[in-house]
Amino acid sequence: MSQQLGGFEKFLRVGEGRRLKRLKNQAEYVGTLEPEFEALSDDELAGKTAEFRQRIENGETPEDLLFEAYAAVREAFKRTMGVRLFDVQLMGGIALHEGDIAEMKTGEGKTFVAVQPLYLNALSGNNVHLVTVNDYLAKRDAEWTKPVWDALGMRVGFIQNMMPFAERRIAYESDVTYGTNSEFGFDYLRDNMAVSLDGVVQRGHTYAIVDEVDSILIDEARTPLIISGEPETAAQTYYDFARVVKAFEGIQSKGVAKGIDETEESGADFTYDEKHKTVSPGQASIDKVERALRVDNLYDPRNVQLVNHLTQALKAQALYHRDQDYVVQDGEVKIVDEFTGRIMEGRRWSEGLHQAIEAKEGVRIQEENVTLATITLQNYFRLYDKLAGMTGTAKTEEKEFVEIYGLNVVEIPTNVPVARDDRNDFIFKTKEAKFDAVLADIVARHEVGQPVLVGTIDVETSEYLSQLLQRHGVPHNVLNAKQHEREAEIIMDAGEQGAVTIATNMAGRGVDIKLGEGVLDLGGLYVLGTERHEARRIDNQLRGRSGRQGDSGESRYYLSGQDQVVRLFAGDRIYNIMDRFKLPDDQPMEASILSKQIENAQKKVEEQNFVMRKNVLKYDDVMNTQRQVIYEQRRRVLEGEDLSGDVKEWIGEVIESVVAQHTAAEFQEEWDLAELVTAMDALYGTGVSVDEIDGLDREAIVDEFVEDALDAYGDKEQEVEQMEPGLMRSLERYLILHVVDTRWREHLDSMDYLREGVHLRAMAQKDPLVEYRHEGHLMFQELGLAIREEVVSAIFHAQVTPQDAQVLQDTDGWEEDGDLAYEHQSLAGADAIAAAGMGAATPAPAAAVAAGTVGGGATTVATQTQRVASEWDKVGRNDPCPCGSGKKYKKCHGA
């Protein structure tokens, strides 16, 4: 691995010299434009932005404008801040515009460097982003550079944690927005949970510069961003329904034609269909539930979730059997694979079914916080059309930057040569001996007034050292990155005479340490590392705190054979060498061979961490493809697209699925057509009779039902549009958004469970990632079918009132108090249907909307109250019209 890495590193360095020479020449050319821009008035300088934008509209590219734009930025810095950007800063700015990482040492002015490419890329009218490591730096850098942006006629904004929505939106309406990686990522997720465009803040992902890019894209990339929410229903509700339905009597459905209530005829509480895993609650069961739960009307829109609870409780009672469909082990309900008989670890039924079975069995209901949205930092930043980064330490991780993000690292030379003296490591046998030497060194430096910055890798070591210094009467500050503003104050004072600052290696990153008066004469800032970090670049970052802009400085690391990185990867070799020389515990070694062993140990850890981060990304790539499909669907809804074409296609797909389920037998004689007609009646209120499809092949049956359903859809559209033009399109968008969001969140949970359990497949010699990809793909296909089924059924059953019309046409009404809750006071039929629960478990093939899944109670409430007992109302859509014309009713008086 190390040899391969070495070869890759050599490959990455090919042409570096030529590129640096080119960047140097380009920076020098910008300098030739200085006289021209110096001659401009302030108004003329600000007017250059409008001129550049017009030229882009006329067909020029940002690359065509680079030299002039950078000259304008340099002039703005001179006028507002009295700073003339160095040529090396222009070189870094050009590398950033080209979509690479500019590695620039500490103190080289990266904050100013970023303004150039941000300005150039914002000229196209897009919002561009500067991503940094904490809120303090986001606010500081935006406010610090604001005079430059004002002079150029551009607006700059920044986002902060807990910032109110209105202020956040204004920040994104600016040309340039500063913020942290997590805030940008969470805003992206929240935008894709919004129910109207007014709730969306981000304006695309055109260009971003990531400051401290190694920290954000590597160190923080192991942990995905997750928005969680409380479970929508309490566990007690599941237990209540399980208790109530336990006394219910159910019968197997016979699939009789429409118009006959099987439950009423038999005296049962509900019917169930074992083949298709569906249930139909009868009026008797509905009455009993209402009495038991003290609910006036189970199908009132305010009780929409209760409909689903009843459906799932009945399924758990009648259709899912212990030691057959599932087992109870260690107090958990575990699914049994119907084909293999094995337990499906990490899998759960969706839509509340698993919780209903847990309630039935009396075990603890697992209702952890639900995942509403999630994305890894890698996949968030890969959304950008162009990404760039800057840091003082990136070269050691270039392989990862290239492989994951397509970012090359360009080492920009310093403006003034580095004068810091980096001493060899001192290596001791034991930690005790090491810390004794560290304490003596700090005390000696402090006594002569030389400032000391002590780096530790954890808070525990910081506190231990602090106690040692207190005992010896050495005043000091301890910094462990808990309060960003206080952190900046402490780190800025670390260069004063006599200052002793203990900090975790990453603390204070992004803040310059300026030396106090007389400190250069004492040797500059002394950086003392108490332990090597597992990543060399973080050690280099600590060292880089000293010796900025050619200042004198010194650094040294104190190590021991008991340090974690040394012990795990090089401990035996270190001890063998030290034993060979028979060194006492308190005498350090300073041999280059030992330092090489430490460096090799760090490389091994870095390689392991890279593999771990890459593995996280591989799993999220599966979700990322699915996420993009769902978010694109949502965006089409929010942008008000006409989705009627999609709905018509879905009607055909759903009908084809239902027909396929009921005609799965090889011989037509075995098809249960009465059951199929009942299922279609539950789906859209069909007028097709058994006689009309008897003898037809599967394709002809599908065609017959699709034609009939599209006619019914046309009738529905005419009925809704009479209330208000365009209302049908609004109804479709509302229902699609509602269903997509609900089912997507359940799917996220299902994928979480799959991810947790799939690693056990390795015991069966199966690749967990391959298994995750395969099953994740199947689950997403099932999700798509479930969404289409639910939307189609909800559209046919929705009963829209004039009050609903107003809510539907105003998407702002889809939100309540700025929260992401849906308006529940509308769409009595639609919400009841949407919540009624369709299909079987996510892990198993999603069942189509079959008899009673939606139809039992919901159809009764939503449609039967409208049927008037007259001769004409009893006519089926495909029956001959009673007028005697000879046409089908749907083509004549039923049209």
Side-chain angles (χ1 to χ4, degrees):
M1 178 74 179
S2 295
Q3 289 179 343
Q4 292 176 350
L5 188 60
F8 192 81
E9 287 175 346
K10 288 177 183 176
F11 169 75
L12 292 173
R13 282 165 174 72
V14 172
E16 270 188 2
R18 289 195 299 273
R19 185 170 187 186
L20 285 177
K21 186 175 181 180
R22 189 253 296 170
L23 291 174
K24 185 173 184 294
N25 291 337
Q26 288 176 310
E28 289 173 352
Y29 180 74
V30 173
T32 66
L33 301 178
E34 266 189 283
E36 175 187 335
F37 281 83
E38 286 174 340
L40 298 175
S41 67
D42 289 348
D43 289 342
E44 288 171 333
L45 179 61
K48 278 290 180 180
T49 297
E51 176 196 320
F52 293 152
R53 283 180 164 159
Q54 186 60 53
R55 286 166 61 181
I56 285 178
E57 285 185 21
N58 293 341
E60 290 190 58
T61 65
E63 286 68 31
D64 297 330
L65 300 174
L66 186 147
F67 302 121
E68 294 170 81
Y70 279 35
V73 172
R74 177 184 260 178
E75 184 60 29
F77 268 106
K78 285 196 297 186
R79 295 189 189 188
T80 60
M81 305 187 74
V83 172
R84 181 185 181 275
L85 298 181
F86 303 126
D87 280 5
V88 290
Q89 289 176 302
L90 268 65
M91 292 169 63
I94 295 169
L96 290 174
H97 170 68
E98 292 174 351
D100 283 321
I101 293 172
E103 181 178 276
M104 303 181 72
K105 302 302 180 188
T106 299
E108 292 295 302
K110 292 188 286 291
T111 302
F112 291 171
V113 169
V115 173
Q116 306 165 98
L118 289 172
Y119 173 71
L120 178 59
N121 285 273
L123 290 173
S124 58
N126 296 302
N127 172 236
V128 298
H129 301 162
L130 188 289
V131 187
T132 190
V133 291
N134 61 49
D135 276 349
Y136 166 76
L137 291 176
K139 182 180 180 183
R140 185 206 71 175
D141 292 355
E143 292 179 341
W144 193 8
T145 58
K146 188 176 186 301
V148 178
W149 295 112
D150 290 344
L152 293 168
M154 276 196 178
R155 292 183 302 150
V156 63
F158 60 88
I159 53 175
Q160 301 274 275
N161 185 31
M162 304 301 289
M163 176 180 273
F165 177 83
E167 293 179 26
R168 191 176 293 268
R169 185 160 194 172
I170 291 171
Y172 280 108
E173 287 172 353
S174 303
D175 299 291
V176 182
T177 306
Y178 287 69
T180 64
N181 53 301
S182 57
E183 286 302 301
F184 281 119
F186 282 130
D187 281 339
Y188 170 72
L189 293 178
R190 284 189 288 259
D191 279 357
N192 285 286
M193 294 166 65
V195 297
S196 75
L197 284 178
D198 289 337
V200 174
V201 292
Q202 290 189 340
R203 297 194 292 122
H205 297 84
T206 307
Y207 178 65
I209 297 174
V210 183
D211 192 11
E212 307 297 355
V213 66
D214 55 322
S215 174
I216 291 173
L217 295 191
I218 291 182
D219 297 324
E220 297 189 31
R222 292 189 212 177
T223 308
L225 301 175
I226 299 173
I227 294 180
S228 298
E230 293 293 329
E232 292 183 5
T233 51
Q236 188 58 45
T237 309
Y238 289 107
Y239 290 124
D240 289 342
F241 270 92
R243 173 178 50 79
V244 173
V245 305
K246 191 174 184 179
F248 284 6
E249 181 185 347
I251 61 165
Q252 171 71 34
S253 174
K254 298 174 182 176
V256 295
K258 64 171 186 166
I260 299 176
D261 188 334
E262 290 183 87
T263 56
E264 187 176 332
E265 190 179 60
S266 65
D269 293 298
F270 66 99
T271 60
Y272 57 88
D273 182 342
E274 289 184 312
K275 188 193 301 183
H276 300 105
K277 298 284 190 185
T278 60
V279 294
S280 284
Q283 191 59 47
S285 64
I286 294 171
D287 292 341
K288 289 177 182 178
V289 169
E290 289 173 345
R291 285 196 301 271
L293 301 180
R294 295 183 176 87
V295 174
D296 292 334
N297 179 4
L298 190 64
Y299 289 93
D300 186 292
R302 289 168 296 183
N303 301 325
V304 292
Q305 289 301 323
L306 299 182
V307 178
N308 189 48
H309 277 295
L310 174 58
T311 303
Q312 302 306 341
L314 292 175
K315 285 184 179 181
Q317 182 71 20
L319 300 174
Y320 291 84
H321 308 289
R322 183 168 179 169
D323 296 329
Q324 181 179 331
D325 299 292
Y326 63 89
V327 296
V328 178
Q329 283 186 353
D330 304 321
E332 290 184 33
V333 170
K334 297 183 178 181
I335 300 173
V336 173
D337 189 326
E338 61 178 310
F339 301 107
T340 65
R342 294 192 178 97
I343 293 175
M344 301 173 73
E345 293 286 355
R347 299 296 292 270
R348 285 173 67 85
W349 285 296
S350 64
E351 301 174 23
L353 176 60
H354 210 101
Q355 289 91 331
I357 294 174
E358 288 168 331
K360 167 190 169 184
E361 295 295 342
V363 301
R364 184 180 68 85
I365 292 177
Q366 297 183 24
E367 275 199 306
E368 301 89 351
N369 284 353
V370 294
T371 299
L372 303 180
T374 180
I375 192 171
T376 58
L377 285 175
Q378 292 105 317
N379 273 326
Y380 172 71
F381 282 108
R382 295 200 299 191
L383 289 171
Y384 285 91
D385 298 334
K386 184 165 63 174
L387 186 66
M390 44 187 199
T391 180
T393 47
K395 203 66 183 178
T396 57
E397 308 288 354
E398 185 168 20
K399 180 178 186 293
E400 183 165 352
F401 283 125
V402 171
E403 191 168 328
I404 303 299
Y405 303 100
L407 294 170
N408 290 290
V409 178
V410 183
E411 292 182 276
I412 305 297
T414 55
N415 187 49
V416 180
V418 176
R420 185 183 63 248
D421 182 10
D422 293 328
R423 301 292 186 93
N424 286 332
D425 298 349
F426 273 161
I427 306 174
F428 295 81
K429 256 190 177 182
T430 66
K431 280 189 177 182
E432 291 78 9
K434 176 183 76 172
F435 281 115
D436 286 344
V438 165
L439 181 63
D441 196 357
I442 294 172
V443 170
R445 306 270 180 169
H446 176 68
E447 285 177 350
V448 299
Q450 185 177 14
V452 182
L453 176 64
V454 184
T456 66
I457 68 166
D458 55 44
V459 175
E460 184 181 355
T461 306
S462 297
E463 293 172 348
Y464 174 67
L465 263 177
S466 177
Q467 291 172 0
L468 292 179
L469 290 173
Q470 284 174 5
R471 290 178 201 154
H472 285 77
V474 178
H476 59 280
N477 280 314
V478 180
L479 172 62
N480 51 33
K482 289 181 180 176
Q483 296 178 339
H484 298 318
E485 297 205 26
R486 175 72 180 135
E487 172 186 331
E489 292 172 14
I490 293 174
I491 207 73
M492 281 191 291
D493 294 338
E496 297 296 322
Q497 270 204 38
V500 176
T501 308
I502 302 174
T504 53
N505 288 0
M506 298 297 291
R509 191 164 182 174
V511 181
D512 279 341
I513 299 175
K514 295 181 180 175
L515 302 184
E517 191 175 340
V519 168
L520 286 175
D521 297 331
L522 298 170
L525 177 67
Y526 177 51
V527 171
L528 188 157
T530 60
E531 192 170 338
R532 284 284 189 177
H533 196 277
E534 60 185 27
R536 284 171 296 159
R537 61 190 164 75
I538 295 179
D539 294 338
N540 294 337
Q541 181 75 27
L542 177 66
R543 273 192 153 133
R545 314 305 285 163
S546 173
R548 64 182 295 278
Q549 286 293 323
D551 290 343
S552 59
E554 187 182 343
S555 71
R556 188 191 296 275
Y557 273 90
Y558 282 75
L559 312 176
S560 84
Q562 295 174 332
D563 293 348
Q564 185 173 357
V565 171
V566 179
R567 179 174 53 81
L568 292 178
F569 293 93
D572 292 341
R573 296 188 191 94
I574 297 290
Y575 277 118
N576 289 338
I577 292 171
M578 299 185 86
D579 286 341
R580 192 179 308 157
F581 287 96
K582 295 184 168 35
L583 293 176
D585 289 356
D586 60 351
Q587 184 176 338
M589 283 198 69
E590 195 181 351
S592 59
I593 187 173
L594 292 178
S595 295
K596 191 68 177 174
Q597 292 289 346
I598 305 295
E599 187 175 314
N600 289 337
Q602 288 177 308
K603 283 183 178 179
K604 289 178 183 177
V605 180
E606 287 169 2
E607 289 166 8
Q608 283 187 358
N609 289 339
F610 177 31
V611 170
M612 287 169 58
R613 288 188 292 267
K614 196 172 176 183
N615 200 43
V616 168
L617 183 60
K618 285 178 180 176
Y619 278 92
D620 191 62
D621 280 344
V622 177
M623 283 297 302
N624 200 47
T625 305
Q626 301 177 3
R627 184 187 300 115
Q628 289 171 351
V629 172
I630 293 295
Y631 285 179
E632 182 184 352
Q633 178 75 67
R634 292 189 91 264
R635 192 73 184 193
R636 291 177 64 200
V637 173
L638 298 191
E639 290 176 351
E641 263 192 53
D642 181 344
L643 299 175
S644 58
D646 296 61
V647 172
K648 289 175 182 175
E649 284 184 21
W650 295 355
I651 289 172
E653 291 176 23
V654 172
I655 286 177
E656 189 173 350
S657 174
V658 176
V659 171
Q661 288 186 64
H662 289 82
T663 58
E666 184 178 353
F667 301 106
Q668 289 191 13
E669 295 78 15
E670 299 175 8
W671 294 353
D672 193 339
L673 298 182
E675 192 178 81
L676 173 58
V677 169
T678 304
M680 288 300 179
D681 189 42
L683 177 64
Y684 71 91
T686 183
V688 176
S689 65
V690 173
D691 292 340
E692 289 179 82
I693 58 174
D694 192 16
L696 298 180
D697 62 22
R698 187 178 292 112
E699 187 176 341
I701 291 174
V702 170
D703 290 343
E704 182 69 27
F705 279 120
V706 169
E707 180 187 357
D708 188 51
L710 289 177
D711 285 341
Y713 172 80
D715 294 346
K716 185 73 178 182
E717 183 172 26
Q718 188 175 4
E719 171 196 330
V720 174
E721 291 288 304
Q722 284 176 350
M723 216 170 287
E724 189 173 334
L727 185 58
M728 186 65 174
R729 304 289 84 82
S730 296
L731 171 64
E732 289 164 345
R733 287 193 293 269
Y734 175 92
L735 290 172
I736 289 171
L737 195 66
H738 184 109
V739 173
V740 165
D741 282 355
T742 302
R743 297 304 168 217
W744 172 244
R745 292 170 191 177
E746 291 173 354
H747 179 72
L748 289 177
D749 275 344
S750 298
M751 292 294 284
D752 279 346
Y753 285 116
L754 174 63
R755 173 81 185 271
E756 290 170 10
V758 78
H759 294 289
L760 297 173
R761 313 280 176 91
M763 298 172 66
Q765 306 302 311
K766 293 182 178 179
D767 185 336
L769 179 60
V770 172
E771 294 285 296
Y772 182 77
R773 282 177 180 154
H774 175 67
E775 293 199 29
H777 176 67
L778 293 178
M779 287 165 63
F780 190 65
Q781 287 182 318
E782 292 157 8
L783 170 69
L785 180 58
I787 288 173
R788 293 191 290 274
E789 290 172 347
E790 192 162 344
V791 168
V792 167
S793 182
I795 286 173
F796 279 118
H797 291 87
Q799 299 301 309
V800 185
T801 68
Q803 291 81 8
D804 300 332
Q806 183 178 355
V807 174
L808 282 171
Q809 295 286 47
D810 177 14
T811 54
D812 290 341
W814 297 5
E815 286 190 86
E816 293 179 343
D817 302 324
D819 198 3
L820 293 169
Y822 286 96
E823 182 68 54
H824 289 308
Q825 60 187 353
S826 63
L827 304 176
D831 271 359
I833 298 302
M838 305 177 199
T842 299
V849 182
T853 309
V854 178
T859 304
T860 302
V861 172
T863 63
Q864 286 188 4
T865 55
Q866 297 177 29
R867 293 177 181 167
V868 180
S870 70
E871 191 67 31
W872 284 79
D873 283 340
K874 293 178 181 176
V875 178
R877 295 178 54 76
N878 288 302
D879 292 344
C881 186
C883 76
S885 65
K887 298 179 181 178
K888 287 188 177 182
Y889 176 65
K890 67 183 180 183
K891 298 292 186 183
C892 190
H893 280 76

